[in-house]
Amino acid sequence: MKRLVVAIDGPAGAGKSTVAQLAAKKLGYTYIDTGAMYRAVAWKVLQQQEVTDERILEVIRDIDVDLHYAKGKTTVTVDGEDVSAAIRTPEVSAVVSRVAALGPVRTKMVDLQRKMAKRGAVLMDGRDIATNVLPHADVKIFLTASIEERARRRWKEMKEKGYDIALETLKKDIAARDKADSEREISPLVQADDAVLLDTTGLSIDEVVARILNLCQ
């Protein structure tokens, strides 16, 4: 059986990471969470409590971001430190779009992502996987959902982690993130011409995973 390269793109809060990880596990593929890589850079920048383009470019020059996948779980490390939980905070979410918009950051991350995909049997998700990182992927999916649905999911996730944030605030944050991601000059968020649109509004996680597996088969 061919070792496929699967690319999943979509906006913030669409559930890409959750379903991609589950689908990869069922397929026996390696899951590469590209968003986590950009979050890792944002986390490192925030350790200095100063977010400027100059600081971001300084960090990217010598940062070591690595993803280890084992037993259905991805561990993200920055310079050897496990930051898997730390990169999922609202503070990181607030600056990751700015970090990801800079050319040198994307160049370094894309190079790492392409190297990981060369071995095949890989499922990768992000914002520009099918359009830029892996334009020759065997399967391309654009995963989305309504802003209301995405905000509700993110609110539930934040609540379970102990964060108290208003649903309306999340809606505004997600709308702003959509605008920033789709209007950035470098590799904006767009659906690839040959990608399958998968709207997950109203669908359960299991239903979305099943549809992804069908597309891969």
Side-chain angles (χ1 to χ4, degrees):
M1 184 175 179
K2 184 179 180 182
R3 294 163 60 85
L4 300 175
V5 173
V6 184
I8 300 180
D9 292 313
K16 297 186 302 296
S17 296
T18 300
V19 298
Q21 191 165 346
L22 289 171
K25 185 176 181 180
K26 288 183 177 295
L27 288 166
Y29 283 12
T30 297
Y31 167 58
I32 301 174
D33 182 357
T34 63
M37 297 172 72
Y38 290 103
R39 282 178 171 272
V41 178
W43 175 85
K44 181 66 179 291
V45 172
L46 285 172
Q47 301 316 293
Q48 302 299 319
Q49 298 182 338
E50 180 185 13
V51 182
T52 64
D53 289 355
E54 291 74 17
R55 172 59 185 158
I56 295 170
L57 294 177
E58 178 183 334
V59 166
I60 198 64
R61 276 199 292 269
D62 59 2
I63 192 172
D64 178 24
V65 178
D66 200 3
L67 276 71
H68 304 281
Y69 184 80
K71 298 180 180 179
K73 180 181 179 182
T74 299
T75 299
V76 184
T77 61
V78 172
D79 301 330
E81 179 180 354
D82 184 349
V83 297
S84 304
I87 63 174
R88 301 297 176 182
T89 64
E91 291 77 14
V92 171
S93 296
V95 301
V96 68
S97 283
R98 178 175 180 178
V99 169
L102 295 181
V105 176
R106 302 200 71 79
T107 296
K108 183 163 186 173
M109 295 298 104
V110 168
D111 182 58
L112 289 173
Q113 292 155 14
R114 286 173 175 163
K115 287 179 180 177
M116 287 185 240
K118 282 185 177 180
R119 58 181 177 264
V122 160
L123 196 156
M124 188 180 299
D125 76 323
R127 298 289 190 279
D128 63 340
I129 308 306
T131 56
N132 179 53
V133 182
L134 303 175
H136 302 299
D138 301 296
V139 179
K140 300 179 182 180
I141 301 168
F142 191 85
L143 195 75
T144 189
S146 68
I147 288 181
E148 291 75 17
E149 177 87 353
R150 289 186 278 144
R152 183 187 63 77
R153 293 172 182 171
R154 186 59 57 85
W155 177 82
K156 183 179 179 182
E157 178 184 332
M158 291 291 99
K159 186 177 181 180
E160 290 173 349
K161 292 181 179 180
Y163 295 105
D164 185 16
I165 186 167
L167 184 60
E168 286 303 317
T169 298
L170 284 174
K171 287 182 183 179
K172 292 178 181 178
D173 289 346
I174 288 176
R177 180 77 181 274
D178 286 353
K179 180 177 173 61
D181 288 343
S182 61
E183 294 182 356
R184 69 189 183 202
E185 293 185 9
I186 301 173
S187 299
L189 170 67
V190 294
Q191 180 181 342
D193 292 338
D194 54 348
V196 175
L197 176 64
L198 179 51
D199 190 328
T200 68
T201 304
L203 297 180
S204 68
I205 291 174
D206 289 342
E207 288 173 328
V208 177
V209 171
R211 295 193 184 192
I212 292 173
L213 294 179
N214 285 337
L215 289 170
C216 292
Q217 292 167 357

